[in-house]
Amino acid sequence: MTQELLETVDVVRPGKSLVVAIDGPSGSGKSSVSKEVARRLKLAYLDTGAMYRALTWSCLHNGTDLADAAAVEAAAENLELEISTSPREDYVRVAGTDVTEAIREPAISAAVSAVATTLGARTELIRRQRELIEKHHRRMVVEGRDITTVVAPSAEVRMLLTASEEARLRRRGIQLGGSQNAEQLAAQVTARDAKDSTVVNFTQAADGVVTLDSSDLDFEQTVDAALGIVHKIISHTAINPAARD
């Protein structure tokens, strides 16, 4: 869809909340798909994974012991974080330092699970995520691993975006421009998922969450399918408001 056409698209559910919660494993395409869905629906966008990566960067930068849960929790509470909530721009800053690219480095990917599985740190970042959703009048696409069940369980649309392991490894390899070997890719995708799944289930859809398997879909097809799910759910809710109760 061209920019010109996008500007003519009516705002969906004007004046009403519309939180689209999207969870999924590494390499499922949830970040790129979620951002495009937000752009087309003219909603705010939040990449919660970037928040965990920013905290990990801060801990490593400041020499925080990732095995010290109390220290990691304190780092989360003191984190000076600025993160884009627009699908049209991408920035992450920690204490004024631009870490947009740095948080995608292999060293961060290797360490982020240690931070993400620290319950005190999760509690603080979840608090901030909910705060951002409210700040945007509950009109936002939020993606991560525990959005549909923990961060925004009452979201109007809840979706699990998944894909086969083969597809996820291939996509992550392309995303990283071939800079990682097979072992590094496996560590970033399957090994990290295994660690993170100890504190949150993002591999199976909870009750009321729609599963979208993108294994055999390209990017545009996945975006279209996700938008179809959004429109189907909100149309059903408009006809039958009791469906959300």
Side-chain angles (χ1 to χ4, degrees):
M1 186 178 291
T2 65
Q3 180 61 40
E4 290 75 15
L5 286 175
L6 273 171
E7 294 302 329
T8 67
V9 174
D10 291 335
V11 174
V12 179
R13 288 167 57 102
K16 297 181 180 180
S17 68
L18 178 54
V19 176
V20 179
I22 301 179
D23 286 331
S26 300
S28 61
K30 63 181 181 294
S31 292
S32 55
V33 170
S34 297
K35 183 178 289 188
E36 183 61 14
V37 167
R39 193 173 72 89
R40 295 194 189 184
L41 293 176
K42 295 186 177 180
L43 299 175
Y45 163 75
L46 180 61
D47 175 359
T48 63
M51 297 176 72
Y52 287 99
R53 286 175 172 272
L55 175 56
T56 303
W57 181 92
S58 180
C59 287
L60 294 179
H61 180 73
N62 293 316
T64 303
D65 182 359
L66 300 187
D68 185 339
V72 174
E73 180 178 352
E77 293 173 349
N78 295 319
L79 183 67
E80 296 179 37
L81 176 67
E82 298 173 72
I83 185 168
S84 171
T85 52
S86 167
R88 298 181 183 278
E89 57 183 336
D90 183 22
Y91 66 79
V92 183
R93 304 184 189 105
V94 174
T97 299
D98 189 328
V99 297
T100 310
E101 299 296 330
I103 63 172
R104 305 297 173 182
E105 292 294 327
I108 302 300
S109 297
V112 66
S113 285
V115 169
T117 53
T118 301
L119 297 182
R122 290 194 75 85
T123 298
E124 171 59 18
L125 293 188
I126 288 169
R127 182 193 68 78
R128 295 191 189 204
Q129 290 155 17
R130 289 174 174 164
E131 191 175 74
L132 285 169
I133 294 171
E134 295 301 326
K135 179 180 178 180
H136 288 277
H137 310 290
R138 295 189 57 81
R139 291 186 59 81
M140 176 179 272
V141 175
V142 190
E143 56 99 346
R145 295 176 181 270
D146 59 355
I147 314 305
T148 63
T149 56
V150 178
V151 177
S154 62
E156 286 74 13
V157 180
R158 297 189 297 153
M159 195 183 313
L160 176 68
L161 178 59
T162 188
S164 67
E165 182 175 314
E166 179 185 6
R168 292 188 290 119
L169 286 170
R170 182 180 68 252
R171 290 170 184 170
R172 182 52 59 89
I174 293 172
Q175 181 185 29
L176 295 173
S179 61
Q180 307 290 296
N181 60 35
E183 184 178 346
Q184 290 172 318
L185 281 175
Q188 284 209 15
V189 177
T190 56
R192 182 186 165 199
D193 284 349
K195 292 177 183 177
D196 288 359
S197 65
T198 61
V199 293
V200 62
N201 182 7
F202 51 86
T203 58
Q204 294 184 335
D207 290 344
V209 177
V210 180
T211 298
L212 172 54
D213 189 330
S214 66
S215 300
D216 299 319
L217 304 178
D218 63 21
F219 176 71
E220 280 297 326
Q221 290 170 329
T222 306
V223 170
D224 287 342
L227 288 169
I229 290 170
V230 172
H231 287 295
K232 182 177 181 179
I233 289 175
I234 62 178
S235 295
H236 178 63
T237 303
I239 295 172
N240 181 21
R244 291 203 63 238
D245 298 335

